[in-house]
Amino acid sequence: MLHLRLVSIASLALLLPAQTDAPQNLAARALGATPLLSDLSELCDGIGGRPTGSPACERAVEWAARKFREAGADRVSVETFTVPNLWLPISAEASALSPEKFPVRIAAAPFSPSTDGAIEALVVDAGEGGAEVLAKLGDALKGAIVLIHSREMKSFDDLFGEYMRNGVLVDAARKYRPAAMLLQSTRPRGLLYRHPVTLDSSLAPVPMAIVGREQAERMGRLAAKGKVRMRLSLQNRTGGSYESKNVIAEVRGREKPDEVVLLGAHLDSWDLGTGAEDNGANSAMLIDALRGFKELKIVPRRTIRFALFTGEEQGMWGSAGYVKRHRSEMEKHVMAVVFDTGSGRLSGFYLNGRDELRKPLNAALAAVSGFNAGEHLVDGIDGTDNFDFAISGIPNLVGIQDPAPYLADYHAESDTVDRVNTREEKVTEAIASAVAWSFAESPERPAWRQSRAEVEKLLMDTKLDQQMKAFGQWDDFKSGKRGYVK
Ligand SMILES: [Zn+2]
């Protein structure tokens, strides 16, 4: 009897008309009492920082798969992919030896090699490390610990500038062979963070680390007066390619289950903090968004896939791996929406070069228009998990969120749960759920897949091609190793 009864309820659900108040109900639930914050604490306080390739990342993957199952997902799969290079920190110690002795706080820069045990060398101050200054110092850099000054980071543009400087530093390191490079922290009051010095996870030519801002200033002042000698030991685990995992969960569509609307966030993080803003908040948000669909028994026309990627911090390898694994299904991917800027207020979406997405997006936002998330920007984004969808022609969006509280704690020791703006994150969940429902429910697809020629034109028009060259991604796209396959 029980069996028959279940069957009859299930067939009834198939006959129900579209639940037109679904987005409002999803939003109301998201704003109420949910396990969002307790989930986030389990992930960040319980598991902690979780760089891809670490045991903590493995635990986070198991945790997320269990959470999705407990939330009632119709399907949960843990899917492997390949990360090209392993880099994990072991230890980092430094001290000034002369003219004064004092300990120096440092954090190894991802993708830089270890020192050969503890090394001792003279400090050479190379100012802000411009190409001309480094070339002028030339052979004076050989065997030295090169100190590079940085301006304080106050905006996303400053952060972008910090990444764009990598090329010059790595080139100079290769050419002049210093013993190591110490990059001044862009954040005051001793704050340390992980700053990847290559963006394709390839190994840098010499050991590099971030050094506390005020201590870097002190060493600079001492070096201006005379010789400064330091001891430095950086031990990192480096290696070749290895497997990591994405967690993919589904709310299965009632009419077009093979068509997919994907919501994505990355589950991995750097390790000095606990990856709360980057990007635990949005990972927990996606888990709770799926929970909302299941609790309210909302079954959209198409399938909604909730993707928690890893390998993002190493070069978006999880989402790249997803696109590769699901290439035969890409045609059926209607939209990919990615969240990766912490818990600041969501003001709109990056359209990633496709202004034609504005209209269907605004239609999708209509049910939650009270949240004012309509300030979209047409800019193309390279640097989070929408990227491999974009270069495969799939319509894609990235949430635009207030840089506070994200930016100040980005990759830093201070990226912890107490920084998270729970109220705004709940609003983000309300908007994400409503938008996903609308794209999954609307009879027409919001936009079509672009051809490779259209993708190439978009990359030129948005100047993403230049960024891809700087990030070491362009050759992989041109050769077909990454992105568009049909
Ligand atoms: Zn992130």
Side-chain angles (χ1 to χ4, degrees):
M1 271 313 280
L2 187 64
H3 178 70
L4 282 175
R5 193 176 141 72
L6 283 174
V7 167
S8 66
I9 289 171
S11 32
L12 192 67
L14 288 173
L15 297 172
L16 285 174
Q19 293 141 296
T20 47
D21 53 356
Q24 290 87 348
N25 292 341
L26 287 164
R29 181 203 161 273
L31 296 179
T34 68
L36 176 69
L37 189 59
S38 60
D39 282 354
L40 183 64
S41 296
E42 281 180 26
L43 176 64
C44 297
D45 293 336
I47 296 172
R50 42 199 180 279
T52 304
S54 70
C57 188
E58 286 282 324
R59 281 175 68 202
V61 164
E62 283 165 26
W63 173 85
R66 177 169 60 79
K67 283 282 157 185
F68 275 133
R69 276 188 212 105
E70 287 171 1
D74 297 319
R75 197 174 71 94
V76 179
S77 52
V78 173
E79 303 179 348
T80 55
F81 63 91
T82 304
V83 187
N85 299 295
L86 178 75
W87 188 92
L88 290 169
I90 298 171
S91 64
E93 285 163 31
S95 55
L97 302 175
S98 65
E100 297 300 327
K101 280 191 168 65
F102 56 92
V104 175
R105 293 188 73 230
I106 56 167
F111 315 119
S112 74
S114 305
T115 53
D116 188 5
I119 58 164
E120 291 185 16
L122 286 178
V123 173
V124 170
D125 190 326
E128 288 189 13
E132 278 174 30
V133 175
L134 290 165
K136 209 170 155 195
L137 286 165
D139 288 340
L141 300 174
K142 193 170 170 24
I145 294 175
V146 179
L147 178 64
I148 308 286
H149 292 260
S150 309
R151 291 180 205 183
E152 205 176 317
M153 189 269 286
K154 292 190 168 150
S155 67
F156 271 112
D157 282 347
D158 294 345
L159 179 65
F160 187 71
E162 195 178 352
Y163 278 116
M164 295 314 278
R165 183 178 72 168
N166 281 345
V168 168
L169 299 181
V170 166
D171 284 350
R174 193 170 287 124
K175 200 163 171 190
Y176 305 116
R177 304 308 306 185
M181 278 184 167
L182 293 181
L183 318 182
Q184 182 182 25
S185 169
T186 60
R187 334 278 172 88
R189 296 182 180 81
L191 190 64
L192 297 177
Y193 54 92
R194 293 281 179 223
H195 173 67
V197 283
T198 70
L199 293 163
D200 57 0
S201 80
S202 60
L203 205 62
V206 305
M208 295 188 180
I210 294 289
V211 56
R213 182 163 190 82
E214 293 74 14
Q215 291 186 317
E217 288 297 320
R218 181 181 179 188
M219 286 191 291
R221 288 191 295 269
L222 291 173
K225 286 190 200 153
K227 285 186 171 18
V228 176
R229 205 165 171 80
M230 276 189 84
R231 178 182 292 139
L232 177 69
S233 169
L234 281 170
Q235 302 308 319
N236 304 312
R237 225 181 110 203
T238 59
S241 67
Y242 64 100
E243 304 245 286
S244 186
K245 292 165 185 155
N246 296 324
V247 185
I248 313 292
E250 278 185 4
V251 170
R252 202 93 177 124
R254 66 174 193 278
E255 224 179 272
K256 295 182 171 178
D258 57 333
E259 290 192 7
V260 175
V261 172
L262 182 140
L263 295 183
H266 70 86
L267 182 64
D268 64 307
S269 75
W270 286 118
D271 60 305
L272 294 172
T274 62
E277 281 292 306
D278 188 12
N279 190 26
N282 288 310
S283 298
M285 184 273 282
L286 287 198
I287 290 169
D288 197 58
L290 180 142
R291 191 181 284 130
F293 278 87
K294 299 312 286 184
E295 272 181 22
L296 299 172
K297 301 188 170 48
I298 291 169
V299 186
R301 195 185 304 272
R302 300 184 180 86
T303 292
I304 303 178
R305 243 176 226 175
F306 299 77
L308 293 182
F309 302 114
T310 66
E312 195 272 350
E313 300 292 4
Q314 288 68 19
M316 295 105 72
W317 298 110
S319 45
Y322 174 92
V323 168
K324 209 169 175 185
R325 169 185 283 256
H326 294 273
R327 66 170 57 153
S328 64
E329 280 182 85
M330 270 304 119
E331 214 57 36
K332 300 276 188 186
H333 278 64
V334 165
M335 181 70 81
V337 190
V338 166
F339 297 88
D340 185 16
T341 343
S343 63
R345 191 182 93 77
L346 185 79
S347 57
F349 290 86
Y350 288 109
L351 306 177
N352 296 311
R354 297 185 64 171
D355 207 50
E356 73 272 19
L357 299 182
R358 195 180 293 270
K359 209 175 142 190
L361 174 58
N362 283 337
L365 285 164
V368 287
S369 59
F371 296 128
N372 296 318
E375 289 167 45
H376 314 310
L377 296 171
V378 76
D379 309 35
I381 299 298
D382 176 3
T384 189
D385 291 310
N386 70 303
F387 176 72
D388 283 81
F389 294 94
I391 62 171
S392 305
I394 308 307
N396 66 101
L397 302 166
V398 176
I400 304 172
Q401 293 173 274
D402 188 335
Y406 175 84
L407 200 53
D409 306 304
Y410 172 80
H411 291 184
E413 296 169 299
S414 53
D415 183 4
T416 49
V417 170
D418 38 302
R419 293 296 193 279
V420 171
N421 185 334
T422 312
R423 206 196 81 80
E424 289 299 341
E425 192 59 30
K426 289 167 87 64
V427 173
T428 296
E429 182 183 329
I431 297 168
S433 305
V435 162
W437 180 83
S438 175
F439 288 143
E441 185 61 31
S442 106
E444 299 298 322
R445 292 171 71 140
W448 294 96
R449 187 179 181 188
Q450 290 182 319
S451 66
R452 178 160 182 128
E454 287 171 321
V455 171
E456 288 203 15
K457 184 175 182 307
L458 181 145
L459 296 177
M460 305 293 174
D461 290 350
T462 54
K463 297 195 165 49
L464 273 177
D465 60 325
Q466 290 171 26
Q467 207 170 319
M468 287 167 70
K469 281 168 196 160
F471 285 7
Q473 300 156 334
W474 184 249
D475 292 343
D476 282 356
F477 171 68
K478 287 306 272 184
S479 69
K481 207 167 138 192
R482 209 162 166 175
Y484 211 99
V485 180
K486 201 162 185 178

